Amino acid sequence: MSKIKWSEAEDTIAKQALQKAYTRETSALIANIRDRAASITELSDLWYLHDLLSTKRYEIDGKYTYDSSAIVFDFAKLIKQGWLSLEDLKGLSPEILSKISALARM
């Protein structure tokens, strides 16, 4: 897919939506880690938590890089994962929203 051509307002909406999804996912991760850390009883629990954090850091760092050539796919994936909704993207063109919606249903 080629680079999306949209207005400055749509660019702002896209960046804010990406930030909103990032905040939701990282807040959920922090809550999950708090719960897991509170239940550590053995060294193996600690290493599991370390591995989980390393994996999540890699996933999150790659997921939330703004790339207008892939943003439609990124938004569809975030909707599938529950971090975004189409309502969060309100203000983008109907054509772009339609593409995101179709991809999110796949």
Side-chain angles (χ1 to χ4, degrees):
M1 179 171 260
S2 62
K3 198 171 193 175
I4 292 185
K5 307 246 191 285
W6 50 25
S7 69
E8 201 171 304
E10 287 177 307
D11 189 60
T12 299
I13 290 165
K15 288 177 180 174
Q16 288 173 343
L18 198 61
Q19 182 60 44
K20 190 178 288 189
Y22 174 82
T23 299
R24 288 174 181 158
E25 184 169 2
T26 55
S27 294
L29 176 62
I30 289 168
N32 181 12
I33 296 304
R34 265 195 202 114
D35 291 344
R36 288 183 181 269
S39 65
I40 291 175
T41 58
E42 299 178 13
L43 187 57
S44 62
D45 299 330
L46 183 65
W47 296 140
Y48 174 81
L49 189 60
H50 172 270
D51 293 344
L52 175 66
L53 283 169
S54 295
T55 301
K56 288 296 184 182
R57 182 177 184 177
Y58 178 79
E59 288 174 12
I60 289 172
D61 284 349
K63 187 187 298 186
Y64 292 99
T65 301
Y66 182 79
D67 177 3
S68 62
S69 66
I71 199 71
V72 168
F73 298 105
D74 294 341
F75 283 157
K77 185 186 324 180
L78 290 169
I79 289 170
K80 278 182 169 180
Q81 294 173 345
W83 304 121
L84 268 186
S85 70
L86 284 174
E87 185 64 27
D88 294 321
L89 301 172
K90 188 176 177 182
L92 298 182
S93 76
E95 179 186 329
I96 292 172
L97 288 173
S98 177
K99 288 178 183 178
I100 294 168
S101 179
L103 287 167
R105 288 190 303 266
M106 295 176 90

